[in-house]
Every structure is written in C-alpha cells, then in structure tokens.
Amino acid sequence: IGTGWCACNLSLSGMYGSLCSPNFPEPYPRDMQLRWNVSVPDGFQIKLYFSHFDLEPSYLCEYDYVKGEVLALFCGKEQTDTEAVPAQQALTSPRNSLSLLFSSDFSDEERFSGFVAHYSAVDIDECSERSGEDALCDHFCHNYIGGYYCSCRYGYRLHSDNHTLECSSDVFRERSGVLSSIDFPAPYPKSCECLYRIEVEDGFRLRLQFDSHFDVEDHPDVSCPYDYIKIKAGSAVFGPFCGDRSPGVIQTDSNVASIVFHSDSSGENLGWRLGYTATGESMSRCCKQTHSWEL
Ligand SMILES: [Ca+2]
Ligand SMILES: [Ca+2]
Ligand SMILES: [Ca+2]
C-alpha cells in the first residue's frame, strides 16, 4: 500500500505524518477501499490537509472518494471547478482520532493520480472551546499544549473537583464584627463553598444582623435550590436563606455560630453582609472564683 515515503501504515499514531492513495503517483487501483486510522495523544486534535488531490469526479462523489468520518466527502480534480475537492480546506477532528476512508469504483475514464494528505497534532484549547455552564473550570482556566488546568483566586483553595472554590475564614473571636460574601456588594463568585465561624467566650449570646441589601439566587417555587446561606448556632439552625429579602436580625442562644454559604455554577447575584454582636456576661470571670479544693 502506498509507495515508500507515505501511507504504508493504515494506523498512524505519530504527532504528524503523511498518507497517500495506493501506488501514488501512479494511478490508484480500481475497486478498492482503504481506511486510515490516525490517533494522537489525549488533549490534541488532528488537523489534516491535502497537498495533492486528483480523483475521478462524479456527482455527489459516488464513484471515487475520500471521506473523513462525518467531516467531509471529497472527490474530483483540483483544477476543475468542483466544490468537492478539498483545496486549501483543512479537516480538524473534534477528538484525538480521525478515520479517513478512500474508495474507488470499478472503472476510471482517464488516469487519476490520487491524493497526498498530511496531518499534524494540534493542541485543543479547552479553555476557549467550552464556556458558560459547560466550562471545564468555573474560576480560571489555563490552556497548555496537550492539556489544561484550573485555578482560582489567590488566597482560596480549589476543590479537587476543579470547580468548587473552598473558602473558610479565620475564626471570628472579637465580640463584634462584620462578615460578608466574597466581593460584596459586587457579585459573589460561582461555585463557592464557604464556611465562617464565630466563637466568643462562654456566657455570651450572638446576635446577627443582616444588611438590608441582600441578594442570593433563589427559585420561585423551590426553596433555595441554587445558592443559600445557612446558620447553625448551638442546636439551632437558621435558614437556608436566599432571595432578595434580608433575613434581618437573628438572635441566637449560643456563643458559637457557623455560617455556610453555598453558590452554584451560574447566575450573578450581589450577596450578603452581616454584622454580629455578643451580649451577656463572660462566664470565665464569675466561675473562676467558685473552685475550691478540699484535700
Ligand atoms: Ca473510478
Ligand atoms: Ca490544551
Ligand atoms: Ca448562583
């Protein structure tokens, strides 16, 4: 099959290569079907073009043809005015393999020398190829030759699922403070899983007050299926909260609260902010004096 420099192999797996019709540049045999399977490593696709093309022309290429999977069907002579010759058109495979079929029928009206094709592996730009909810990364996407990787903003961790931004603050230990969604009042990032923890001395009770500006993605019928904020204080759970109505004031009976904020992979909402205060007495002061030791 083929002559010397090209197309001896029907299975090609190099990063580049050439293939041509059998006997090239002599006329190709009649009544023949040949299939080349080209494959390149994951993360690449195949670009193939023809440097020579001379096949028997026919209506809809029903006599002799070269077919690249569902991508293209070619026949005819380069110098003639047919639309079926590949000319400068390159075939690009969607994945890392390409199957090319050559077929000739039982007759030829004149001599046709066949074709020569060349392929090379080209990088798939995973970052620009898929966007929106199909995007491979929800935060930052970095393309490189043969692959891609995801990252997220400085100071945060990316979950091993490549999508979720994990954030957890230091524990808030002051008797009052303010916390908010990332970037508030600008839209919070998508795919976040954030944990905030407030811990003041025993005996105090935490009181949380949400800003009136509150905007967390919601759903008209289902309770907070997309994004939500949830608060746990002692044995009490508050929320989930979402929508555009501020939850207002939450009085807890606990000196410890954890606040979980979750956002899904879409939407643009402004988020939330809350201030907290601790009311009550520090127990540590009163109880230290009650210790007595009798030996
Ligand atoms: Ca023919
Ligand atoms: Ca790539
Ligand atoms: Ca969302």
Side-chain angles (χ1 to χ4, degrees), residues 188 217 226-227 263-264 266-267 269:
Y188 51 79
E217 188 180 18
Y226 305 129
D227 304 346
S263 69
D264 70 353
S266 68
N269 299 78

Side-chain angles (χ1 to χ4, degrees), residues 234-253:
S235 56
V237 174
F238 304 90
F241 301 111
C242 59
D244 55 10
R245 269 189 47 204
S246 168
V249 173
I250 294 171
Q251 178 64 56
T252 78
D253 280 328

Side-chain angles (χ1 to χ4, degrees), residues 137-141 151-153 158 163-165 189-192:
C137 307
D138 279 346
H139 301 282
F140 303 132
C141 183
S151 75
C152 64
R153 61 171 68 198
L158 194 63
H163 288 279
T164 309
L165 182 78
K190 51 190 185 170
S191 300
C192 285

